[in-house]
Amino acid sequence: MTSLATLSRGDYRVRIIQDSDQRNPRSEFTNLAHALTIDTHLGNYIEVDPDGGPLEAAWKRVAWNYKAGVDTFERYARIYHGATVIEHRPARGAVSLWYLTAADIEEHGIENPEALIRTEISQYQAWADGEVYSLLAEKLALLQEIGKPEAPIRREWNSFHAESGLYGIEYATEAANDLLDRAPETWAAVSG
């Protein structure tokens, strides 16, 4: 298990490790925003989310001409459904439309729909780019064979806390620093 980064304070350290076992957050978690995949590569990308939400049928009617279709869909969604729509065009990967209808916003009491959509996009894109991480907290132990004071002292890191499912290296680094800032005695309680 290779660490991408290690943050240390005294006898404690937290290693950031790439987590290759995480599944698509669109299928693993409850998401509030809806995502529609724009097929710009003749079906060569998997869908961002197989359930395009309540406006999926409207998108399918205009998707044949995706360039004009995006503008048409955004206008329709905004005028008839009070939707907030964000187009996502990553450097690599599927192009997509993300949206929340006025009904979604009201039902869930969302104060900043654009921020919520951008958070879900960021989480999905981190997963799609393979940027999901785990943390492994360790404490340095000094070990010597019992009854042999002349025996060499070995240094060994013992892990005692782990967290997984951290999307994006910035978030993982922030979580590792937060973990080191807390008293190590609280780590066991955090790990559940």
Side-chain angles (χ1 to χ4, degrees):
M1 197 171 354
T2 306
S3 299
L4 296 173
T6 302
L7 290 75
S8 301
R9 300 226 178 105
D11 290 346
Y12 295 93
R13 74 180 185 185
V14 177
R15 294 191 302 144
I16 301 174
I17 303 160
Q18 190 161 23
D19 187 347
S20 59
D21 292 334
Q22 287 297 319
R23 294 169 62 196
N24 184 340
R26 300 298 303 169
S27 59
E28 284 298 298
F29 306 121
T30 300
N31 297 281
L32 298 180
H34 309 285
L36 298 162
T37 304
I38 301 173
D39 188 4
T40 58
H41 289 82
L42 303 173
N44 288 325
Y45 288 122
I46 61 169
E47 289 185 88
V48 172
D49 192 333
D51 178 8
L55 303 183
E56 182 176 21
W59 168 248
K60 286 183 177 181
R61 285 195 295 276
V62 297
W64 63 273
N65 181 357
Y66 81 87
K67 289 180 182 176
V70 168
D71 292 336
T72 303
F73 175 81
E74 285 179 350
R75 190 166 190 262
Y76 166 79
R78 190 176 59 252
I79 293 170
Y80 291 102
H81 297 279
T84 300
V85 181
I86 296 176
E87 182 179 6
H88 179 57
R89 292 186 166 277
R92 59 185 188 276
V95 177
S96 51
L97 287 171
W98 297 67
Y99 69 92
L100 285 165
T101 65
D104 296 326
I105 294 165
E106 183 179 336
E107 177 184 346
H108 299 289
I110 300 167
E111 292 183 26
N112 188 340
E114 188 171 321
L116 186 139
I117 293 170
R118 291 198 186 284
T119 297
E120 288 192 19
I121 290 171
S122 175
Q123 183 184 51
Y124 171 79
Q125 196 60 47
W127 171 81
D129 290 341
E131 293 186 14
V132 183
Y133 304 96
S134 293
L135 302 180
L136 186 61
E138 300 173 315
K139 182 177 183 350
L140 181 62
L142 301 177
L143 306 173
Q144 186 175 39
E145 194 173 333
I146 296 174
K148 295 189 178 181
E150 70 284 350
I153 296 175
R154 284 190 353 257
R155 298 168 50 94
E156 186 176 290
W157 289 99
N158 295 320
S159 60
F160 63 92
H161 174 80
E163 293 180 28
S164 61
L166 302 161
Y167 293 82
I169 192 65
E170 297 84 12
Y171 181 65
T173 302
E174 182 181 316
N177 276 314
D178 288 347
L179 194 55
L180 283 170
D181 287 342
R182 290 194 304 251
E185 302 80 46
T186 67
W187 290 3
V190 173
S191 65

